[in-house]
Amino acid sequence: MRKRLTVSINKAINTQEVAVKEKHARTCILGTHHEKGAQTFWSVVNRLPLSSNAVLCWKFCHVFHKLLRDGHPNVLKDSLRYKNELSDMSRMWGHLSEGYGQLCSIYLKLLRTKMEYHTKNPRFPGNLQMSDRQLDEAGESDVNNFFQLTVEMFDYLECELNLFQTVFNSLDMSRSVSVTTAGQCRLAPLIQVILDCSHLYDYTVKLLFKLHSCLPADTLQGHRDRFMEQFTKLKDLFYRSSNLQYFKRLIQIPQLPENPPNFLRASALSEHISPVVVIPAEASSPDSEPVLEKDDLMDMDASQQNLFDNKFDDIFGSSFSSDPFNFNSQNGVNKDEKDHLIEQLYRELSGLKAQLENLKTESQRAVLQLKGRISELEAELAEQQHLRQQAADDSEFLRAELDELKKKREDTEKAQRSLTEIERKAQANEQRYSKLKEKYSELVQSHADLLRKNAEVTKQVSVARQAQVDLEREKKELEDSFQRLSEQAQRKTQEQTEVLENLKQELATSKQELHIVQGSLETSAQSEEKWATQIAELEKERDSLLNTMAHREEELSVLQKQLEDTQLKLSSTQESMGQLAKDQRKMLLLQSRKAAEQVVQEALRQLEEPTLISCAGSADHLLSTVKSVSSCIEQLEKSCSQYLACPEDVSGLLHSVTLLAHLTSDTIVHGSTTCLRAPPEPADSLTEACKQYGRETLIYLASVGEDGALENADSTALRGCLSEITAIGEELLPRGLDIKQEELGDLVDKEMAATSAAIETATARIEEMLSKSRAGDTGVKLEVNERILGSCTSLMQAIQVLIVASKDLQREIVESGRGTASPKEFYAKNSRWTEGLISASKAVGWGATVMVDAADLVVQGRGKFEELMVCSHEIAASTAQLVAASKVKADKDSPNLAQLQQASRGVNQATAAVVASTVSGKSQIEETDNMDFSSMTLTQIKRQEMDSQVRVLELENELQKERQKLGELRKKHYELAGVAEGWEEGTEASPPTVQEAVTEKE
């Protein structure tokens, strides 16, 4: 069988420009199934000059394409090792622009794409025939897998269409090239291409409908555009192929619909008809047609001659036919009649020949029509079989779905029972939440009432103060009016006194005059009446003056009485206002103290329920809060002294009490959140110190609200608790913050120098390992070690360039930003940025050392390739962190920044090269270590299969645990690094996150 297979391969792949004979290709396919692989095929092909003869290479591609489609599944595995040789041959033939050069280049590229696709998607068979259920299983019901699978199908179909179009462009379509041997040689491989394209188009349509049911239409706009382009090309190529005479006998090409499917309408999937390519059973290549030999032609002539003789005997009789040239036995028929009869016979013979030709033509036409009808019926039969198979698959799928629905129903019942339990727990939690909500509402309501009462008291105080101001103003007005009245009364009294004095003087004068008159009466009796009249007038004037003086005295007494009443009213009003203001100040102070106690008690309750705290705090934040509390206590003591000295001024005391309550609450909460990050023992001590501080604060606030106890209020216990909290917080401070700022500048230079030294040491170790490998290893292992160590050396060189560029950029930043200060002062001023540089430098040096250790273990055969890939990614992330930390303060137009970014891209490329060489070496090593099952029995294979399944389950369990552990480690590492480097204190020196590092790497 091997010898026969070798002969068939040599006959199928030759230098003659004719199509590959079907029988030889069929023998090659059967040979792969017989030997369960393609070893013989490649052993024969490797001896053929494929790189020197384009026709030979073209026919090799055709046969290899058939083997990948219809051969044994191991053909793909046996052919993977020759994938690079096919790529090199494709590039070589691509330099030829005429003849079969470009065709061979594109065909080889298609075969490489087909091998890569089936290697990446092993569920797809070589002939791409799958049911809808198998297609769903290939995507594992994951939309991301379906998305990636659609992209890969687009790439696959693009290569098929490229070969299709290139073959058509190489043919002169103005002539009947499909009937020539050269044209058939080029067109023959397109049958395999048509078969592939029909399946790829069908699967692409179904996957796009599935993606549109899961993803937004805008996300899939690129997929739709690419499908429209390929749909147009494929429809045109199918139509042009169906018109070629060569394909009409060998294959029935389907026609695509006039309009492409509307993926935005989900119901359009039911309108989609899968294109079915039908290859008739009697169809074969031109070499398999029956060939008429010379003997067959002679037999045909003899049969036709016999037919003619029989016809002649029927007309003229057997005696005439036995001796056609004996004219004397014709019973007297003359020669002219004989000539006429002969001519008549010739004419009849010509007519019979014409009828015979017509019969042959009609029979051939009928045969062709019948063959076409048979092809159509077979196509319909194949389509019906396909539909029946599809219906069977759908039935099986529905049966599986029914079983799955039954399982889901059972799971649903279990879930319902668990849901009932969960609802019960949720109801209990809801009740607890309702209680907490009610309590919170009560606190909010009490707080609102206190605020409202505070506002009312403040308003009342304002009204009282305004009334007091009004009373003082009225008092002042009354005093002014009383002063004016007093002055007016004094002035009037003085005037009346003066008038009385004047009247007394006048009375004395009158008396004197009266005496004089009386004396003169004696002397002058004539003037007696005159003087009597004057005396009477003077007496009248004296009486009126006395009446006026009495009236004035009455008015003065009334005014004095009014003044006394006003003074009494003013004193009573002042007494009532003073008592009211005093009561209001006491009530306001009492309510403020109660509100402060509630705030502190709420904080202590949260401390007892740590589940209510949703975030972790830091020790430095706690220390800053404690410092604020100490300042608040000093301010409260000053406010108490002022209140005792002046009870009317209560605003300062109220403000201090409220501030102390809120700061105490913040201290307790921050202490509780800090305990989440602290070790158990300091966390317990800090929690107990916070509780004691809260209790002492409540005692101190109780003494503030009492009249007699305010003078004896002592804050010594509060200060002691704060001192204890401060001591614990200082112990919890991260050690990274203990570096003196004046040492940061020197530390940056030291870390950068240490990183450079670590890179140089790693490079030297890699060179040493490479020398040892060349001396002790051979074959595949030496090749893999050289490739991996060479890529590691390139990575170290790229990191050295990056470090030099980072130093130049840092020097430029320091020179442009320090001004007249020294570099050390600049580093100390920008301590957070400096600590970010130090951390990034440490990470780069550490990553280089770990990667060299991993490479050493891999070269020695004791390490894992995955460790080397993880180390490469870690170095890429560390260099991205160094780049991000370096360019925080850089000018965006700086040439050193551009050089740093270029160096970063070089590191990323070198990292990708390390990963690629590691993956390639791993696959190459695994190919050489394939297991041999030929000598194992069925029981041994079954036993190893069970052991492999157990091992798979164990590895899956370990993988899940390791992933959880990795997540926790990353979380803890980020928390510790954040505290140590001060990432939470501003954005000046914040290092890049994991996402930023990956973005920088890309």
Side-chain angles (χ1 to χ4, degrees):
M1 180 64 187
R2 181 180 178 89
K3 183 177 180 181
R4 181 184 175 189
L5 179 60
T6 303
V7 173
S8 298
I9 294 172
N10 287 322
K11 288 184 177 181
I13 305 174
N14 53 44
T15 58
Q16 297 178 4
E17 194 175 1
V18 295
V20 176
K21 292 185 178 181
E22 189 66 27
K23 59 182 180 180
H24 299 323
R26 190 180 299 112
T27 303
C28 296
I29 294 172
L30 293 175
T32 61
H33 287 280
H34 179 75
E35 67 177 7
K36 296 182 180 180
Q39 294 87 355
T40 304
F41 174 76
W42 282 108
S43 64
V44 175
V45 168
N46 286 333
R47 294 193 295 268
L48 298 177
L50 300 180
S51 300
S52 59
N53 193 304
V55 176
L56 192 69
C57 183
W58 175 256
K59 298 177 78 172
F60 155 73
C61 294
H62 185 189
V63 175
F64 185 41
H65 197 172
K66 279 180 170 290
L67 294 183
L68 288 176
R69 279 187 52 82
D70 303 324
H72 194 272
N74 288 337
V75 172
L76 177 62
K77 297 179 180 178
D78 294 340
S79 304
L80 287 176
R81 68 186 63 184
Y82 303 101
K83 188 169 62 175
N84 294 332
E85 297 180 5
L86 296 180
S87 300
D88 296 338
M89 197 183 305
S90 174
R91 286 193 295 270
M92 187 272 294
W93 284 116
H95 295 297
L96 297 179
S97 59
E98 296 180 358
Y100 282 89
Q102 287 293 328
L103 296 178
C104 292
S105 176
I106 295 174
Y107 208 165
L108 289 169
K109 190 179 299 182
L110 168 61
L111 295 176
R112 178 182 172 88
T113 302
K114 184 177 181 67
M115 294 168 64
E116 292 176 349
Y117 179 82
H118 289 289
T119 303
K120 190 179 296 184
N121 303 284
R123 295 177 183 266
F124 284 81
N127 56 8
L128 294 175
Q129 292 182 0
M130 295 180 68
S131 63
D132 292 342
R133 180 179 178 183
Q134 291 173 336
L135 184 62
D136 292 336
E137 291 176 353
E140 299 178 355
S141 301
D142 188 355
V143 67
N144 296 319
N145 294 340
F146 285 127
F147 189 93
Q148 182 63 27
L149 188 60
T150 307
V151 174
E152 293 173 359
M153 283 190 178
F154 278 145
D155 297 337
Y156 192 177
L157 185 57
E158 186 71 29
C159 293
E160 300 274 6
L161 295 177
N162 193 13
L163 177 62
F164 216 141
Q165 186 68 44
T166 306
V167 171
F168 271 27
N169 292 339
S170 67
L171 296 174
D172 186 2
M173 304 307 292
S174 62
R175 298 184 299 171
S176 300
V177 293
S178 63
V179 297
T180 63
T181 57
Q184 292 176 2
C185 182
R186 299 191 182 193
L187 292 174
L190 295 185
I191 295 176
Q192 311 302 317
V193 175
I194 292 172
L195 292 171
D196 288 345
C197 290
S198 63
H199 292 296
L200 290 174
Y201 167 77
D202 183 32
Y203 300 154
T204 305
V205 172
K206 293 177 181 178
L207 289 179
L208 283 177
F209 273 111
K210 189 178 297 292
L211 287 175
H212 277 79
S213 65
C214 302
L215 297 176
D218 295 339
T219 306
L220 300 172
Q221 181 63 42
H223 280 46
R224 292 197 299 273
D225 296 340
R226 194 170 183 186
F227 174 81
M228 286 297 298
E229 180 182 357
Q230 294 185 354
F231 173 81
T232 305
K233 291 181 180 179
L234 186 61
K235 181 180 178 182
D236 178 65
L237 293 173
F238 273 8
Y239 176 75
R240 294 171 64 183
S241 301
S242 61
N243 293 329
L244 293 179
Q245 188 66 30
Y246 176 71
F247 290 124
K248 289 183 178 179
R249 184 172 53 84
L250 300 177
I251 188 171
Q252 183 177 349
I253 302 174
Q255 297 299 322
L256 299 184
E258 184 67 23
N259 297 318
N262 185 8
F263 300 109
L264 301 179
R265 184 167 57 90
S267 60
L269 178 60
S270 59
E271 303 172 2
H272 170 67
I273 300 176
S274 301
V276 179
V277 179
V278 179
I279 300 179
E282 71 275 6
S284 60
S285 60
D287 58 276
S288 62
E289 293 182 356
V291 180
L292 298 177
E293 300 293 339
K294 183 176 181 181
D295 296 338
D296 297 335
L297 294 174
M298 293 175 64
D299 293 340
M300 184 180 292
D301 293 339
S303 62
Q304 291 180 356
Q305 183 65 31
N306 293 331
L307 180 62
F308 176 76
D309 291 341
N310 293 333
K311 185 70 175 177
F312 194 86
D313 291 340
D314 292 338
I315 296 175
F316 297 102
S318 60
S319 62
F320 183 78
S321 62
S322 62
D323 190 7
F325 298 102
N326 187 5
F327 298 105
N328 295 322
S329 61
Q330 297 285 329
N331 296 323
V333 181
N334 58 19
K335 185 177 181 179
D336 294 334
E337 292 177 354
K338 292 179 180 178
D339 294 338
H340 181 69
L341 183 59
I342 290 171
E343 291 177 359
Q344 184 179 358
L345 291 174
Y346 273 120
R347 285 194 298 270
E348 291 181 0
L349 181 61
S350 299
L352 290 173
K353 288 182 178 180
Q355 292 179 5
L356 181 61
E357 293 294 332
N358 291 333
L359 289 174
K360 287 182 179 180
T361 304
E362 290 178 0
S363 63
Q364 290 177 357
R365 185 181 301 109
V367 168
L368 291 175
Q369 290 178 355
L370 290 175
K371 286 184 178 181
R373 181 58 180 165
I374 290 172
S375 300
E376 293 177 359
L377 292 175
E378 288 181 348
E380 292 179 359
L381 178 60
E383 185 175 359
Q384 293 298 327
Q385 290 177 350
H386 176 71
L387 293 176
R388 185 184 65 184
Q389 183 65 30
Q390 187 174 0
D393 294 338
D394 292 341
S395 177
E396 184 179 357
F397 179 70
L398 291 175
R399 190 177 296 108
E401 281 191 348
L402 181 60
D403 296 338
E404 187 176 354
L405 288 175
K406 289 181 180 178
K407 292 181 180 179
K408 285 185 178 179
R409 186 180 66 183
E410 295 176 356
D411 296 339
T412 304
E413 293 176 356
K414 294 180 180 178
Q416 188 68 29
R417 291 192 293 270
S418 62
L419 180 62
T420 304
E421 183 67 20
I422 292 172
E423 287 179 351
R424 185 179 61 79
K425 294 180 179 180
Q427 189 173 6
N429 292 332
E430 184 69 24
Q431 293 176 357
R432 183 183 177 189
Y433 173 74
S434 301
K435 293 179 180 179
L436 291 175
K437 187 175 181 181
E438 291 176 359
K439 190 172 183 180
Y440 176 74
S441 301
E442 291 176 359
L443 290 175
V444 172
Q445 185 64 32
S446 62
H447 183 62
D449 294 338
L450 289 175
L451 292 176
R452 193 159 46 248
K453 290 179 180 179
N454 187 14
E456 292 177 356
V457 170
T458 305
K459 185 176 179 181
Q460 292 176 1
V461 170
S462 301
V463 172
R465 288 180 179 176
Q466 184 65 32
Q468 184 178 1
V469 171
D470 294 339
L471 286 175
E472 290 179 354
R473 186 174 60 253
E474 290 179 358
K475 177 183 177 182
K476 187 175 182 180
E477 290 177 355
L478 289 174
E479 289 178 351
D480 294 339
S481 61
F482 177 74
Q483 184 69 23
R484 287 194 301 272
L485 290 174
S486 299
E487 292 177 354
Q488 186 177 3
Q490 289 178 1
R491 190 167 53 253
K492 288 184 177 181
T493 303
Q494 186 176 1
E495 291 177 353
Q496 291 176 357
T497 304
E498 291 177 353
V499 171
L500 286 175
E501 291 293 331
N502 292 331
L503 289 175
K504 287 179 179 180
Q505 291 178 0
E506 290 179 357
L507 181 59
T509 305
S510 297
K511 287 181 177 179
Q512 291 176 0
E513 290 179 353
L514 180 59
H515 289 297
I516 294 171
V517 170
Q518 287 176 357
S520 64
L521 281 176
E522 293 177 359
T523 59
S524 180
Q526 297 177 357
S527 58
E528 182 178 0
E529 294 179 0
K530 181 179 178 180
W531 290 111
T533 304
Q534 291 181 350
I535 291 171
E537 291 178 356
L538 288 174
E539 288 179 353
K540 288 180 181 179
E541 186 176 357
R542 186 191 64 179
D543 293 336
S544 63
L545 289 174
L546 291 173
N547 292 330
T548 301
M549 184 177 66
H551 183 68
R552 294 293 182 185
E553 288 178 353
E554 290 178 0
E555 288 182 355
L556 180 61
S557 62
V558 171
L559 290 175
Q560 287 179 348
K561 187 176 181 180
Q562 289 180 355
L563 179 60
E564 291 175 356
D565 294 338
T566 302
Q567 288 178 345
L568 292 174
K569 186 186 293 184
L570 179 60
S571 61
S572 62
T573 302
Q574 288 177 347
E575 291 177 359
S576 62
M577 284 299 298
Q579 185 63 33
L580 178 61
K582 184 177 180 180
D583 295 339
Q584 288 177 348
R585 284 193 297 270
K586 288 183 178 180
M587 182 178 62
L588 185 60
L589 181 59
L590 180 62
Q591 291 175 350
S592 299
R593 190 201 69 183
K594 289 182 179 180
E597 290 177 348
Q598 289 179 355
V599 171
V600 177
Q601 290 172 356
E602 179 65 19
L604 290 174
R605 187 184 64 80
Q606 290 184 1
L607 186 62
E608 295 294 336
E609 298 180 7
T611 56
L612 299 178
I613 301 174
S614 61
C615 61
S618 59
D620 52 352
H621 197 179
L622 175 63
L623 293 177
S624 63
T625 307
V626 170
K627 187 180 295 183
S628 301
V629 172
S630 299
S631 301
C632 181
I633 292 175
E634 295 178 358
Q635 181 65 30
L636 180 60
E637 291 177 346
K638 294 180 181 179
S639 299
C640 290
S641 301
Q642 293 177 359
Y643 177 73
L644 293 174
C646 182
E648 289 79 7
D649 187 10
V650 74
S651 60
L653 183 59
L654 293 177
H655 174 73
S656 299
V657 169
T658 305
L659 182 60
L660 177 62
H662 287 285
L663 288 178
T664 301
S665 175
D666 292 342
T667 303
I668 296 173
V669 172
H670 289 158
S672 178
T673 56
T674 305
C675 293
L676 298 178
R677 283 184 176 174
E681 185 175 353
D684 295 339
S685 300
L686 182 58
T687 303
E688 187 61 32
C690 291
K691 291 180 181 179
Q692 183 63 29
Y693 171 62
R695 291 191 289 267
E696 292 295 338
T697 303
L698 292 176
I699 296 172
Y700 184 74
L701 289 175
S703 64
V704 171
E706 298 177 1
D707 293 337
L710 183 60
E711 298 178 356
N712 300 325
D714 189 9
S715 61
T716 305
L718 290 179
R719 297 182 186 275
C721 294
L722 290 176
S723 300
E724 184 177 358
I725 294 174
T726 302
I728 298 174
E730 289 177 351
E731 292 179 359
L732 294 178
L733 283 175
R735 290 176 295 175
L737 298 177
D738 295 336
I739 301 175
K740 297 181 179 180
Q741 291 189 346
E742 56 269 14
E743 299 177 359
L744 287 175
D746 297 334
L747 191 57
V748 170
D749 296 335
K750 291 180 182 179
E751 289 299 332
M752 294 299 288
T755 303
S756 300
I759 298 300
E760 292 176 358
T761 304
T763 305
R765 286 186 61 190
I766 291 173
E767 293 293 337
E768 182 181 354
M769 286 187 287
L770 184 58
S771 301
K772 290 182 180 180
S773 177
R774 289 173 179 172
D777 298 329
T778 58
V780 176
K781 186 174 182 181
L782 176 60
E783 181 183 352
V784 171
N785 291 343
E786 286 182 344
R787 191 183 307 126
I788 292 176
L789 294 178
S791 60
C792 291
T793 303
S794 301
L795 177 59
M796 293 302 164
Q797 293 174 354
I799 294 175
Q800 285 181 339
V801 174
L802 178 70
I803 292 175
V804 172
S806 177
K807 288 181 179 179
D808 294 339
L809 182 60
Q810 292 172 22
R811 190 179 301 109
E812 178 185 342
I813 293 172
V814 173
E815 291 297 330
S816 61
R818 68 186 180 90
T820 57
S822 64
K824 291 184 179 180
E825 293 176 350
F826 179 81
Y827 283 122
K829 180 180 179 182
N830 301 275
S831 58
R832 296 303 179 193
W833 176 70
T834 306
E835 290 170 359
L837 290 178
I838 294 171
S839 174
S841 301
K842 289 181 179 178
V844 172
W846 175 82
T849 304
V850 173
M851 192 191 76
V852 172
D853 294 338
D856 191 8
L857 293 176
V858 168
V859 170
Q860 294 177 8
R862 296 185 290 107
K864 298 180 179 179
F865 290 94
E866 290 78 5
E867 293 180 358
L868 191 56
M869 289 188 284
V870 170
C871 292
S872 302
H873 289 301
E874 187 67 26
I875 288 180
S878 300
T879 53
Q881 179 183 350
L882 178 60
V883 171
S886 299
K887 71 177 185 180
V888 166
K889 292 182 172 295
D891 187 4
K892 63 180 181 179
D893 298 328
S894 173
N896 289 326
L897 177 59
Q899 186 177 1
L900 178 64
Q901 293 173 343
Q902 181 66 28
S904 175
R905 286 190 287 270
V907 171
N908 293 335
Q909 293 174 0
T911 304
V914 172
V915 175
S917 61
T918 305
V919 173
S920 176
K922 180 183 178 183
S923 61
Q924 199 168 356
I925 293 296
E926 289 175 352
E927 287 179 1
T928 59
D929 296 338
N930 288 333
M931 297 181 65
D932 185 13
F933 302 106
S934 58
S935 61
M936 297 175 64
T937 63
L938 178 62
T939 305
Q940 291 174 344
I941 292 177
K942 185 64 177 177
R943 179 61 183 175
Q944 289 201 7
E945 181 183 355
M946 294 176 64
D947 293 340
S948 298
Q949 290 178 354
V950 172
R951 182 59 178 163
V952 167
L953 294 176
E954 291 176 353
L955 291 176
E956 288 179 351
N957 190 18
E958 291 178 2
L959 176 61
Q960 184 68 22
K961 292 180 179 179
E962 287 298 326
R963 282 179 174 169
Q964 294 177 357
K965 182 179 179 182
L966 177 61
E968 295 296 330
L969 287 173
R970 284 179 174 171
K971 181 179 179 182
K972 191 64 178 177
H973 172 265
Y974 188 77
E975 291 176 357
L976 295 178
V979 175
E981 301 299 337
W983 298 348
E984 299 177 356
E985 301 184 9
T987 60
E988 180 181 353
S990 299
T993 62
V994 175
Q995 183 66 29
E996 293 171 350
V998 173
T999 305
E1000 180 68 22
K1001 176 184 174 185
E1002 293 176 353

